[in-house]
Amino acid sequence: MEEEVILYAGRFHPVTVATKAWMTVAQVSNFKEVKSDYNYSGVGELPLLRYQHYLFVQSNIINFLKCAYDLDTDLSEEEKRNGVLIEELCQSRLHPASLHSMWMEPATSKDFYTTPGNWVSKLLTLPAQKACFEFEKIKLSHYLKHQHNISTQKDAFLQAESSHKLLSEILGEKPFFHSKENRAEYPRSTDIIVYSYLVEELKNLPDHPHVVYSLKQHRNLVSFVQRMESVLAKLTQVVKLNHSLDLVSPPQSCSEEYFPPKLHMSAGAKTTWEPYRYRSGAKLSPPPEETPSHIKTYISSVAGVLFLFLFLR
């Protein structure tokens, strides 16, 4: 019996979207998603991907998927290199611009840092929540300024706009980024990664200038997202995968010509990377969804109780 591939997913993240889409296109029927209201586990930031005794952290998930479920076997080396450049455009330019708009702007930041739980726990941890939120914003601001040259809302918009324009020019009128005559038309790794970062904008910033005045001005990118969601929705019904797609638009009819061939996991994939590995006899699964482990929330709770105790004295 083939072992399950389990994705431990926190709140919305492009890598989560990409992983679920990848499993759908690769038609991996033994894929399972475990959702959590938290963004952290005992071994790192969510999402995490588990296969056998290997646990892949967020930064290694895409690399593992490329080795384990290769969607680009019929592409030339030049096409693969161009695909990597397109992926880096999304990861190093489009995503940082989205992060600035989600976290650093007063009108949107409150929506992306809320502690799960009932009102009692939120009230007790309010001071610590505020402190953690401001600390995260300071770290992110420093990262965006020094690594991506984004200091203002204008910088973020211009970077997003240039990324959308370049992606639109590369895609053109093709259904997918690597579409070509005499080749099966279905999503490859580049399509999945671009889709995940465009969905990040459409889902988290639907009324923001990034989407209204930039992304939606490129109709081929919007059509690309809709086409991807149509393929994924149809394939999910066919394979009956154990996850929801959380599509940003209603599923549409999809032509069978966009369906990929059945793929199988590469035999040597599990030894290609060196992810976090559990020691012998260790518990493989993170805490269940209803009682997730979140060290930050625990510290916040203790700090909140101490603050309340000192204040009431």
Side-chain angles (χ1 to χ4, degrees):
M1 181 179 177
E2 195 173 1
E3 189 162 339
E4 284 186 323
V5 180
I6 303 178
L7 174 69
Y8 297 98
R11 300 175 195 170
F12 186 91
H13 194 282
V15 173
T16 299
V17 177
T19 303
K20 291 159 65 174
W22 209 299
M23 294 292 99
T24 303
V25 174
Q27 303 174 56
V28 181
S29 58
N30 61 322
F31 171 69
K32 179 181 179 181
E33 179 187 8
V34 178
K35 293 184 177 181
S36 172
D37 290 333
Y38 295 82
N39 271 344
Y40 292 87
S41 72
V43 295
E45 186 176 357
L46 298 179
L48 300 170
L49 187 69
R50 187 188 122 200
Y51 176 73
Q52 293 185 352
H53 50 277
Y54 291 93
L55 189 65
F56 294 87
V57 296
Q58 184 185 113
S59 59
N60 284 342
I61 289 177
I62 297 299
N63 291 333
F64 167 74
L65 293 175
K66 285 185 176 183
C67 291
Y69 305 98
D70 190 359
L71 302 176
D72 303 331
T73 53
D74 58 343
L75 300 184
S76 67
E77 290 302 316
E78 182 180 1
E79 288 174 317
K80 291 179 181 179
R81 287 194 296 269
N82 291 337
V84 170
L85 293 177
I86 296 172
E87 295 164 14
E88 289 180 354
L89 171 67
C90 294
Q91 294 166 347
S92 63
R93 292 188 61 82
L94 189 57
H95 181 54
S98 299
L99 285 178
H100 185 279
S101 298
M102 289 188 295
W103 281 82
M104 307 309 296
E105 297 176 19
T108 56
S109 62
K110 64 181 184 298
D111 299 327
F112 299 98
Y113 194 88
T114 54
T115 302
N118 56 37
W119 67 270
V120 177
S121 62
K122 290 181 178 181
L123 180 63
L124 290 175
T125 61
L126 185 60
Q129 286 179 42
K130 182 66 175 176
C132 288
F133 177 52
E134 294 301 328
F135 179 67
E136 294 290 339
K137 287 183 64 175
I138 291 172
K139 287 198 305 181
L140 180 60
S141 176
H142 186 273
Y143 165 75
L144 293 174
K145 181 178 180 179
H146 295 280
Q147 297 293 326
H148 299 283
N149 199 29
I150 299 178
S151 301
T152 65
Q153 182 178 356
K154 182 180 179 181
D155 294 336
F157 177 79
L158 292 176
Q159 189 156 303
E161 185 181 40
S162 64
S163 301
H164 294 149
K165 183 179 179 180
L166 188 54
L167 288 171
S168 177
E169 291 175 353
I170 296 172
L171 179 62
E173 298 301 321
K174 304 189 297 290
F176 303 109
F177 281 89
H178 292 297
S179 294
K180 195 175 182 179
E181 291 184 8
N182 303 321
R183 176 188 290 165
E185 297 291 357
Y186 64 89
R188 267 92 174 168
S189 59
T190 300
D191 301 297
I192 291 174
I193 292 173
V194 173
Y195 164 74
S196 66
Y197 286 102
L198 293 179
V199 166
E200 179 183 34
E201 292 183 289
L202 290 167
K203 191 175 183 69
N204 291 335
L205 304 165
D207 301 318
H208 194 275
H210 284 205
V211 172
V212 178
Y213 300 116
S214 182
L215 175 56
K216 288 188 176 180
Q217 301 305 308
H218 301 283
R219 296 305 306 170
N220 61 338
L221 291 182
V222 177
S223 298
F224 167 75
V225 172
Q226 294 172 339
R227 187 178 302 110
M228 285 289 296
E229 294 189 336
S230 178
V231 173
L232 294 173
K234 188 67 177 290
L235 281 173
T236 301
Q237 296 173 4
V238 172
V239 186
K240 296 181 180 179
L241 295 176
N242 189 13
H243 73 274
S244 60
L245 287 170
D246 300 326
L247 303 181
V248 297
S249 60
Q252 304 173 6
S253 60
C254 174
S255 171
E256 298 286 342
E257 65 177 317
Y258 295 139
F259 277 26
K262 177 67 175 177
L263 300 176
H264 300 282
M265 184 164 185
S266 303
K270 59 186 179 182
T271 59
T272 305
W273 298 97
E274 291 297 332
Y276 177 90
R277 185 171 182 174
Y278 285 100
R279 62 185 183 276
S280 177
K283 185 179 180 181
L284 293 181
S285 301
E289 180 181 0
E290 60 271 12
T291 57
S293 172
H294 193 318
I295 189 64
K296 286 191 173 181
T297 298
Y298 175 77
I299 294 174
S300 298
S301 301
V302 173
V305 171
L306 291 175
F307 175 83
L308 201 60
F309 174 76
L310 295 173
F311 180 76
L312 293 177
R313 287 185 65 187

